[in-house]
């Protein structure tokens, strides 16, 4: 009798537990993301995500070259992925081809974190006709990413202060050239719009608000004055004579080996500045950061960026759309999110009484160096502070970020197009237009063309797609 009772109990337990086990079984998800120089299937963060979410994920990468074309080919061929983590332009391409699933019903059912921890202003960038097709991931923190640095020891030698206007900048560069003819006075990497200098001419962005409408800087009379100034610097030997052929490697070699006085950088991980700090590990205050220059009206500003970083979306060919949303939502649970982005408090990172996050090195890099690649989005209410730990992974990178952003309270101005959704006319034309501007500016600066040709160039630029971009931006801008 006892044996029969035990068998009946076992049968009951099997009847109850088997469906539960089957219900908890999760499918393998296939994710496609951008190219990176590591294997995402064998990284510590990928393993941490599987540990916390219970999902096994097969990660795939687009190629480094022709990524958009490759993406379109994969989707058109019916290749199945559960999640695509792609750029805004790639997202718009797929959206225009009706290749993406609408997400609102899935988010309502499975995405409580995704809908409460990501701001609606971010979702406005991934909606079309009121329908959500993508999970937005914004830039982690509104920050200043560009700026000019100078060698403090040379400034001390020539007895001059950090310049505050375009005229003062030119005077400093002349003094450096006279005292140290072997040095490059100013080494640059993007002559078309050096934000530190353009501030001194009254414009801060690619697209600027002029009397309530957006105008590209090439259309503004202030830009003509900026170009004339840059051409004058070059003619007087104050810019690197090799600007036409420089690349990242040559710029790093020149500045980090003390062959230049000033440098304009475009990021808090700029290898040229990192190289300089690494070559001067024991020196203090060797570099001074130049605040954006004042214009003739006593105003100044530096662009602070808060733009869409990438989009996670689900193609219509996905085998597991419900599970894909559950997976992305689970990654935003507080305990999971902290673990996969930073690791374990007091083991891989610390937080002080002022909520200042810092990594514990080198274990932070061993555990979470590549965590950014795996994020579909983040908790926008707190991640800006958490992310600061990533800027402090090395002394050099931390100093660069802090140096570039030290002027934010006084000078930061928000880009009027940061929260603009991707526009078809802009996607179609911007790369060609940017190349057109870069080529023209280089020719003006080195003297192949004259700044007096500028009005004719603007007409060509407008006809080549600039007007279409301007119309699209202003249609959006006026509708805000």
């Amino acid at each position: 009798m006892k044996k029969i009772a035990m068998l009946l109990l076992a049968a009951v337990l099997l009847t109850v537990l088997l469906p539960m086990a089957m219900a908890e079984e999760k499918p393998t998800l296939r994710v496609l993301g951008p190219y990176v120089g590591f294997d995402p299937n064998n990284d510590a963060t990928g393993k941490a995500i599987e540990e916390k979410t219970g999902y096994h994920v097969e990660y795939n990468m687009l190629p480094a070259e022709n990524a958009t074309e490759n993406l379109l080919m994969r989707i058109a061929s019916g290749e199945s992925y559960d999640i695509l983590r792609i750029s805004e332009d790639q997202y718009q391409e797929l959206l225009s081809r009706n290749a993406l699933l609408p997400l609102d019903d899935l988010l309502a059912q499975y995405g409580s974190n995704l809908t409460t921890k990501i701001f609606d202003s971010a979702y406005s960038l991934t909606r079309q006709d009121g329908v959500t097709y993508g999970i937005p991931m914004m830039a982690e923190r509104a920050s200043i990413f560009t700026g000019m640095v100078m060698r403090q020891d040379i400034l001390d030698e020539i007895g001059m202060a950090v310049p505050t206007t375009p005229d003062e900048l030119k005077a400093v560069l002349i003094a450096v050239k006279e005292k140290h003819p072997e040095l490059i006075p100013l080494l640059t990497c993007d002559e078309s719009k050096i934000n530190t200098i353009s501030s001194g001419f009254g414009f801060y962005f690619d697209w600027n608000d002029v009397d309530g409408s957006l105008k590209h800087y090439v259309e503004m009379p202030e830009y003509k004055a900026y170009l004339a100034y840059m051409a004058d610097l070059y003619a007087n030997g104050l810019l690197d004579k090799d600007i036409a052929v420089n690349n990242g490697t040559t710029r790093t070699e020149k500045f980090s080996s003390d062959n230049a006085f000033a440098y304009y950088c475009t990021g808090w991980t700029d290898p040229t500045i990192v190289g300089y700090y690494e070559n001067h590990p024991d020196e203090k205050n060797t570099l001074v950061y130049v605040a954006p220059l004042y214009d003739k009206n006593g105003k100044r500003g530096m662009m602070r960026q808060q733009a869409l970083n990438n989009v996670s979306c689900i193609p219509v060919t996905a085998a597991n759309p419900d599970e894909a949303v559950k997976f992305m939502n689970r990654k935003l649970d507080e305990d999971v999110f902290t673990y996969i982005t930073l690791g374990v408090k007091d083991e891989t990172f610390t937080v002080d009484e002022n909520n200042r996050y810092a990594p514990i090195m080198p274990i932070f890099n061993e555990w979470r160096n590549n965590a950014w690649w795996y994020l579909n989005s983040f908790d926008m209410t707190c991640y800006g502070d958490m992310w600061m730990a990533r800027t402090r992974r090395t002394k050099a990178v931390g100093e660069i970020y802090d140096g570039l952003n030290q002027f934010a309270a006084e000078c930061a101005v928000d880009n009027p197009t940061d929260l603009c959704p991707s526009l078809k006319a802009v996607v179609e034309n911007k790369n060609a237009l940017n190349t057109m501007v870069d080529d023209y500016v280089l020719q003006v600066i080195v003297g192949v063309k004259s700044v007096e040709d500028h009005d004719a160039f603007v007409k060509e630029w407008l006809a080549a797609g600039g007007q279409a971009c301007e119309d699209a931006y202003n249609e959006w801008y006026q509708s805000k």
Side-chain angles (χ1 to χ4, degrees), residues 375-428:
L375 299 186
N376 303 108
S377 194
F378 49 78
D379 186 339
M380 295 181 70
T381 66
C382 64
Y383 189 55
D385 290 331
M386 295 171 64
W387 174 78
M388 290 295 288
R390 304 193 71 80
T391 73
R392 299 174 179 126
R393 285 176 295 168
T394 69
K395 182 175 182 292
V397 168
E399 288 190 4
I400 296 169
Y401 183 88
D402 292 341
L404 293 175
N405 283 275
Q406 65 184 291
F407 311 112
E410 297 176 57
C411 306
V413 283
D414 293 321
N415 187 346
T417 63
D418 264 355
L419 296 181
C420 178
S422 184
L423 303 172
K424 188 173 186 294
V426 177
V427 172
E428 291 176 346

Side-chain angles (χ1 to χ4, degrees), residues 144-279:
I144 292 172
F145 291 112
T146 61
M148 186 181 295
V149 296
M150 293 179 171
R151 286 176 52 185
Q152 183 65 61
D153 59 327
I154 302 296
L155 278 174
D156 293 341
E157 246 190 272
I158 62 176
M160 298 182 77
V162 177
T164 62
T165 67
D167 287 344
E168 288 181 8
L169 173 60
K170 181 180 177 182
V172 166
L173 297 178
I174 289 173
V176 169
K177 186 173 186 291
E178 291 174 349
K179 182 75 174 178
H180 287 281
E182 77 283 1
L183 291 181
I184 300 165
L186 175 57
L187 184 64
T188 61
C189 61
D190 184 12
E191 296 78 20
S192 60
K193 183 168 68 68
I194 297 176
N195 290 332
T196 305
I197 298 177
S198 71
S199 170
F201 291 88
F203 64 95
Y204 316 124
F205 316 109
D206 285 2
W207 293 89
N208 301 266
D209 186 316
V210 179
D211 299 326
S213 295
L214 294 179
K215 291 280 187 184
H216 193 274
Y217 61 76
V218 299
E219 301 178 77
M220 300 171 65
E222 293 86 349
Y223 190 65
K224 194 172 181 178
Y226 166 88
L227 270 185
Y229 177 85
M230 295 298 294
D232 179 66
L233 292 186
Y234 186 85
N236 283 282
L238 305 179
L239 296 181
D240 184 12
K241 60 181 175 55
D242 296 327
I243 61 173
V245 295
N246 271 339
N247 56 39
T249 300
T250 57
R251 284 189 292 266
T252 298
E253 289 173 353
K254 289 176 180 180
F255 194 70
S256 64
S257 58
D258 294 339
N259 289 320
F261 161 67
Y263 174 69
Y264 176 70
C265 67
T266 58
W268 53 275
T269 58
D270 190 311
T272 298
I273 306 297
V274 171
Y276 185 89
Y277 278 121
E278 289 176 347
N279 281 4

Side-chain angles (χ1 to χ4, degrees), residues 37-348:
F38 63 90
D39 181 1
N41 290 295
N42 289 295
D43 187 82
T45 302
K47 294 174 182 176
I49 290 171
E50 182 170 348
E51 170 196 338
K52 285 291 188 179
T53 67
Y55 285 93
H56 178 68
V57 183
E58 177 190 308
Y59 294 102
N60 303 267
M61 292 187 293
L62 291 167
E65 302 291 333
N66 302 313
T68 299
E69 292 80 356
N70 185 274
L71 170 66
L72 297 177
M73 180 184 68
R74 293 186 191 211
I75 298 302
S77 68
E79 199 166 335
S80 179
Y81 298 98
D82 296 298
I83 299 171
L84 306 175
R85 185 179 178 276
I86 53 180
S87 72
E88 182 183 7
D89 289 352
Q90 291 167 343
Y91 168 73
Q92 290 296 330
E93 282 282 357
L94 293 181
L95 199 55
S96 70
R97 296 164 189 254
N98 300 314
L100 301 178
L101 282 178
L103 300 181
D104 292 291
D105 289 344
L106 291 169
L107 289 171
Q109 190 169 0
Y110 306 116
S112 57
N113 288 330
L114 293 167
T115 54
T116 58
K117 296 184 177 183
I118 303 172
F119 297 158
D120 191 67
S121 59
Y123 272 113
S124 71
L125 304 179
T126 59
R127 290 192 186 114
Q128 179 173 277
D129 300 326
V131 179
T132 306
Y133 290 91
I135 308 298
M137 180 170 160
M138 305 298 290
E140 294 84 354
R141 186 183 181 94
S143 301
I144 292 172
F145 291 112
T146 61
M148 186 181 295
V149 296
M150 293 179 171
R151 286 176 52 185
Q152 183 65 61
D153 59 327
I154 302 296
L155 278 174
D156 293 341
E157 246 190 272
I158 62 176
M160 298 182 77
V162 177
T164 62
T165 67
D167 287 344
E168 288 181 8
L169 173 60
K170 181 180 177 182
V172 166
L173 297 178
I174 289 173
V176 169
K177 186 173 186 291
E178 291 174 349
K179 182 75 174 178
H180 287 281
E182 77 283 1
L183 291 181
I184 300 165
L186 175 57
L187 184 64
T188 61
C189 61
D190 184 12
E191 296 78 20
S192 60
K193 183 168 68 68
I194 297 176
N195 290 332
T196 305
I197 298 177
S198 71
S199 170
F201 291 88
F203 64 95
Y204 316 124
F205 316 109
D206 285 2
W207 293 89
N208 301 266
D209 186 316
V210 179
D211 299 326
S213 295
L214 294 179
K215 291 280 187 184
H216 193 274
Y217 61 76
V218 299
E219 301 178 77
M220 300 171 65
E222 293 86 349
Y223 190 65
K224 194 172 181 178
Y226 166 88
L227 270 185
Y229 177 85
M230 295 298 294
D232 179 66
L233 292 186
Y234 186 85
N236 283 282
L238 305 179
L239 296 181
D240 184 12
K241 60 181 175 55
D242 296 327
I243 61 173
V245 295
N246 271 339
N247 56 39
T249 300
T250 57
R251 284 189 292 266
T252 298
E253 289 173 353
K254 289 176 180 180
F255 194 70
S256 64
S257 58
D258 294 339
N259 289 320
F261 161 67
Y263 174 69
Y264 176 70
C265 67
T266 58
W268 53 275
T269 58
D270 190 311
T272 298
I273 306 297
V274 171
Y276 185 89
Y277 278 121
E278 289 176 347
N279 281 4
H280 303 76
D282 300 322
E283 296 181 36
K284 302 295 183 183
N285 302 317
T286 56
L287 296 180
V288 59
Y289 289 78
V290 182
L293 303 179
Y294 287 103
D295 65 18
K296 61 184 179 182
N297 297 313
K299 295 181 179 180
R300 62 179 179 171
M302 181 65 81
M303 178 176 67
R304 175 172 53 195
Q305 292 178 287
Q306 176 58 53
L308 186 61
N309 195 328
N310 57 69
V311 183
S312 290
C313 46
I314 300 176
V316 294
T317 54
N320 306 288
D322 292 11
E323 299 297 334
V325 174
K326 290 178 186 177
F327 170 67
M328 291 188 285
N329 191 72
R330 174 69 174 136
K331 286 162 71 177
L332 284 184
D333 281 349
E334 184 176 351
D335 61 323
V336 177
F337 183 72
T338 299
Y339 183 66
I340 66 177
T341 54
L342 298 180
V344 178
K345 186 179 178 183
D346 297 327
E347 290 186 29
T348 57

Side-chain angles (χ1 to χ4, degrees), residues 363-472:
I363 193 170
F364 180 86
N365 272 358
E366 294 169 8
W367 276 36
R368 296 295 179 263
N369 186 52
N370 302 315
W372 59 272
W373 191 88
Y374 295 88
L375 299 186
N376 303 108
S377 194
F378 49 78
D379 186 339
M380 295 181 70
T381 66
C382 64
Y383 189 55
D385 290 331
M386 295 171 64
W387 174 78
M388 290 295 288
R390 304 193 71 80
T391 73
R392 299 174 179 126
R393 285 176 295 168
T394 69
K395 182 175 182 292
V397 168
E399 288 190 4
I400 296 169
Y401 183 88
D402 292 341
L404 293 175
N405 283 275
Q406 65 184 291
F407 311 112
E410 297 176 57
C411 306
V413 283
D414 293 321
N415 187 346
T417 63
D418 264 355
L419 296 181
C420 178
S422 184
L423 303 172
K424 188 173 186 294
V426 177
V427 172
E428 291 176 346
N429 291 290
K430 71 175 183 179
N431 289 338
L433 290 173
N434 288 342
T435 299
M436 187 177 179
V437 170
D438 290 343
D439 291 346
Y440 162 73
V441 168
L442 185 60
Q443 292 179 73
V444 171
I445 290 176
V446 302
V448 173
K449 287 189 175 181
S450 167
V451 73
E452 299 307 317
D453 300 326
H454 189 68
D455 293 343
F457 170 77
V458 172
K459 290 180 181 178
E460 293 176 17
W461 182 88
L462 289 168
Q467 187 65 59
C469 292
E470 183 174 319
D471 292 344

